[in-house]
Amino acid sequence: MLQFEQKAYDCYGDVVINKSLIHKAGFSSRAIPAYVGEWILYNFLEDGELTEESRNKISEFVNRYLPQKGQKEEVKNRLLNMENVKLLDDYSVSVNLKTGKRTLKIPFLDMNDAFISDDIVEKNNLLLTSGVWGVADLFYVPPASPNEKGQLWMRNFKPFQVGSIDIEYYKECRSNFTTEEWIDLIISSMGFNPTIYNEEQKNVLITRILPMVEPRINLIELAPKGTGKSFVYSNISRYARVIGGGKVSPAVMFHHNGNNTPGLVTRYDVVVLDEVQSIQGDSTGELVAGLKVYLESGRFSRGNTEASAEAGFVMLGNITLDENHQPVYKDEGLFREIPNFLQETAFIDRLHGIIAGWLMPRISKDTPSKYLGFKGDFFSEVLHNLRNEPQYTDYVNLNMRLQNCNDLRDRKAIVRLATAYLKVLFPDLQVTNADFIKYCVKPAVELRQRVRDELHKMDREYAKVNIEVVEE
């Protein structure tokens, strides 16, 4: 056991898990995020070990409650035959004010109009926001007359979610770790093997989770294929939503005027556009116009709806590298391989930072963590809870000194990024000035500096600026 593992086990006990066990548990073929897999795993381990008996119990549970997608019609037929069906899925509820109804979404069955009782919704409020993984007891009500439709109802629901967390205890235990040990624990908790990365690469991994811990951080990561850009967003938190390449509409992102339902930015902590090089905008330009306003102010308007949200925004794009593992268009401009509708400088200026994903190695058999780390559901709740704590921003404003940073957007971006690094790496706020500068301020400046450099390449009206950290 490595030093950080022993300390994690001693300090945090039941909320840490051996991250390698999920790959040995036998449900890797099922389309579930890692934090759900770990929840299942933890409930069947024997003294923290995956025995043959616990493996069989897991297999039995998965086969019973998590059928393969190809069995969808078989499950529907069981419901039609008036069987009660228990199904593990990512359930969510939409409220339509025009009809005055709540409708249940069941992804496995490709249904958006199932029925759910008010009582279940009241007990599971997350169904109305990010959605909840859990086991539902479903039953079918056939039509009473030829003019009516059959109805699918949820009778009972057992959510997969961690109980209340002691965030203060989480912070206090940070003091038992060196900074290097804590970074390794965080990276292992994200599902990555901390022993194969250098310090620069570890920083890239940590940067990926900044939008989960600080409201309204806007980032873009550019990297070649196969470097694991989207893994963390899809697997460690139910508060993150990944949208694959394709057409993205203002209705999906902000608000659907047709059925008066809120968009993704109001329901998640971070919205991620994956494969951004293949994303198509809307012909009217409303998406980019809306994003520019939202990324700047956190507000949006569609039709008669005006609202605000706290979701961060992340774009993930594939770029080509040369023989030196550097972007082919590094000198001409990193955004050359990004769709034209996203190349507007006013839009890019609203991004807080560019993550240098080209520094990362390709995913290999050594990439997954084989060490202890925080359980996914616990870790996601920690990040979510830290979003609303203002003392970290106060610390940054009081202790950060910059030169050549007169632009308001530059400073706002760096403050927000440095605050997020502080929350992740020094949640107890016990940090020396040297470590604050090294681990929080300099990485934040570097992220924003890349944005400034690209803006200068794209439009000479953006002056060449070199933001500097004042070290005292």
Side-chain angles (χ1 to χ4, degrees), residues 123-138:
K123 290 179 180 177
N124 300 276
N125 194 54
L126 283 172
L127 287 167
L128 295 165
T129 55
S130 57
V132 184
W133 278 88
V135 175
D137 190 356
L138 305 173

Side-chain angles (χ1 to χ4, degrees), residues 353-417:
I354 299 171
I355 304 176
W358 57 86
L359 300 173
M360 300 301 292
R362 286 184 61 83
I363 297 295
S364 71
K365 62 180 178 58
D366 297 320
T367 300
S369 176
K370 53 187 178 183
Y371 304 102
L372 292 184
F374 292 122
K375 290 164 55 184
D377 57 350
F378 171 81
F379 190 48
S380 73
E381 291 300 327
V382 166
L383 299 177
H384 179 69
N385 274 263
L386 286 172
R387 288 173 70 84
N388 298 318
E389 304 214 356
Q391 65 270 31
Y392 300 93
T393 304
D394 295 340
Y395 185 96
V396 171
N397 284 325
L398 192 63
N399 294 278
M400 185 175 72
R401 301 284 184 272
L402 303 175
Q403 281 184 345
N404 302 328
C405 189
N406 298 320
D407 185 276
L408 185 60
R409 281 190 186 138
D410 289 345
R411 183 165 187 86
K412 186 185 294 185
I414 294 168
V415 167
R416 206 166 286 179
L417 293 166

Side-chain angles (χ1 to χ4, degrees), residues 180-423:
E180 290 73 20
E181 289 168 347
W182 185 255
I183 288 172
D184 285 351
L185 174 59
I186 295 297
I187 287 173
S188 183
S189 301
M190 293 168 62
F192 293 91
N193 178 357
T195 66
I196 68 169
Y197 297 105
N198 61 34
E199 188 173 304
E200 197 173 34
Q201 292 165 341
K202 287 180 180 181
N203 176 258
V204 170
L205 292 173
I206 294 292
T207 304
R208 288 174 178 171
I209 64 173
L210 299 188
M212 297 182 183
V213 78
E214 174 69 9
R216 289 183 42 229
I217 281 183
N218 312 317
L219 297 171
I220 183 168
E221 179 170 352
L222 301 173
K225 297 177 182 177
T227 52
K229 294 186 291 297
S230 64
F231 174 84
V232 66
Y233 303 108
S234 302
N235 283 281
I236 75 164
S237 177
R238 66 164 171 263
Y239 299 106
R241 175 62 185 270
V242 179
I243 307 172
K247 190 165 185 178
V248 180
S249 69
V252 169
M253 188 65 67
F254 300 115
H255 187 86
H256 196 298
N257 292 333
N259 54 26
N260 201 31
T261 54
L264 298 177
V265 296
T266 65
R267 299 172 59 194
Y268 293 90
D269 287 350
V270 56
V271 177
V272 182
L273 298 187
D274 194 15
E275 306 286 347
V276 71
Q277 69 283 345
S278 61
I279 284 179
Q280 303 172 26
D282 58 312
S283 58
T284 64
E286 184 186 356
L287 177 64
V288 172
L291 279 173
K292 282 194 295 185
V293 173
Y294 176 75
L295 299 187
E296 181 75 16
S297 65
R299 300 193 60 81
F300 62 87
S301 62
R302 291 208 77 229
N304 296 322
T305 299
E306 291 189 12
S308 61
E310 294 293 307
F313 180 74
V314 177
M315 297 191 296
L316 307 175
N318 295 329
I319 58 171
T320 309
L321 303 187
D322 61 21
E323 63 275 8
N324 297 316
H325 212 68
Q326 291 296 308
V328 167
Y329 297 109
K330 188 174 183 178
D331 295 331
E332 295 90 336
L334 293 174
F335 290 95
R336 287 282 293 272
E337 297 179 72
I338 301 302
N340 288 334
F341 77 95
L342 294 176
Q343 289 191 33
E344 187 181 340
T345 53
F347 172 73
I348 293 170
D349 196 12
R350 287 161 168 79
L351 299 176
H352 296 133
I354 299 171
I355 304 176
W358 57 86
L359 300 173
M360 300 301 292
R362 286 184 61 83
I363 297 295
S364 71
K365 62 180 178 58
D366 297 320
T367 300
S369 176
K370 53 187 178 183
Y371 304 102
L372 292 184
F374 292 122
K375 290 164 55 184
D377 57 350
F378 171 81
F379 190 48
S380 73
E381 291 300 327
V382 166
L383 299 177
H384 179 69
N385 274 263
L386 286 172
R387 288 173 70 84
N388 298 318
E389 304 214 356
Q391 65 270 31
Y392 300 93
T393 304
D394 295 340
Y395 185 96
V396 171
N397 284 325
L398 192 63
N399 294 278
M400 185 175 72
R401 301 284 184 272
L402 303 175
Q403 281 184 345
N404 302 328
C405 189
N406 298 320
D407 185 276
L408 185 60
R409 281 190 186 138
D410 289 345
R411 183 165 187 86
K412 186 185 294 185
I414 294 168
V415 167
R416 206 166 286 179
L417 293 166
T419 299
Y421 279 121
L422 189 63
K423 288 179 177 180

Side-chain angles (χ1 to χ4, degrees), residues 32-183:
I32 57 173
Y35 68 87
V36 174
E38 288 176 0
W39 191 98
I40 298 171
L41 187 64
Y42 182 78
N43 282 274
F44 293 102
L45 292 178
E46 297 180 13
D47 297 323
E49 298 295 325
L50 185 63
T51 64
E52 192 62 34
E53 183 178 352
S54 59
R55 194 191 304 271
N56 290 336
K57 288 179 180 178
I58 290 170
S59 178
E60 182 182 340
F61 178 90
V62 169
N63 289 333
R64 178 180 298 177
Y65 300 121
L66 191 62
Q68 299 274 14
K69 188 66 173 178
Q71 297 175 276
K72 180 179 75 171
E73 296 304 319
E74 180 184 329
V75 172
K76 288 165 65 176
N77 190 60
R78 288 172 56 199
L79 288 163
L80 189 63
N81 289 334
M82 308 304 291
E83 290 184 42
N84 282 349
V85 172
K86 291 188 175 182
L87 188 66
L88 169 61
D89 209 346
D90 182 15
Y91 297 94
S92 59
V93 170
S94 296
V95 178
N96 191 322
L97 293 177
K98 291 182 178 179
T99 62
K101 293 181 179 179
R102 298 182 182 91
T103 54
L104 174 68
K105 181 178 180 180
I106 309 175
F108 176 80
L109 297 175
D110 297 319
M111 290 190 66
N112 296 311
D113 57 354
F115 291 80
I116 185 171
S117 70
D118 297 349
D119 184 57
I120 294 177
V121 175
E122 287 176 9
K123 290 179 180 177
N124 300 276
N125 194 54
L126 283 172
L127 287 167
L128 295 165
T129 55
S130 57
V132 184
W133 278 88
V135 175
D137 190 356
L138 305 173
F139 68 98
Y140 177 68
V141 178
S145 68
N147 295 326
E148 295 183 3
K149 296 180 180 180
Q151 299 179 353
L152 184 61
W153 278 84
M154 176 189 283
R155 175 181 279 122
N156 293 304
F157 183 59
K158 181 180 180 182
F160 284 13
Q161 60 188 73
V162 68
S164 60
I165 66 169
D166 188 343
I167 194 71
E168 295 306 318
Y169 181 77
Y170 169 86
K171 295 176 189 176
E172 290 168 10
C173 287
R174 165 65 178 89
S175 62
N176 296 300
F177 298 76
T178 66
T179 300
E180 290 73 20
E181 289 168 347
W182 185 255
I183 288 172

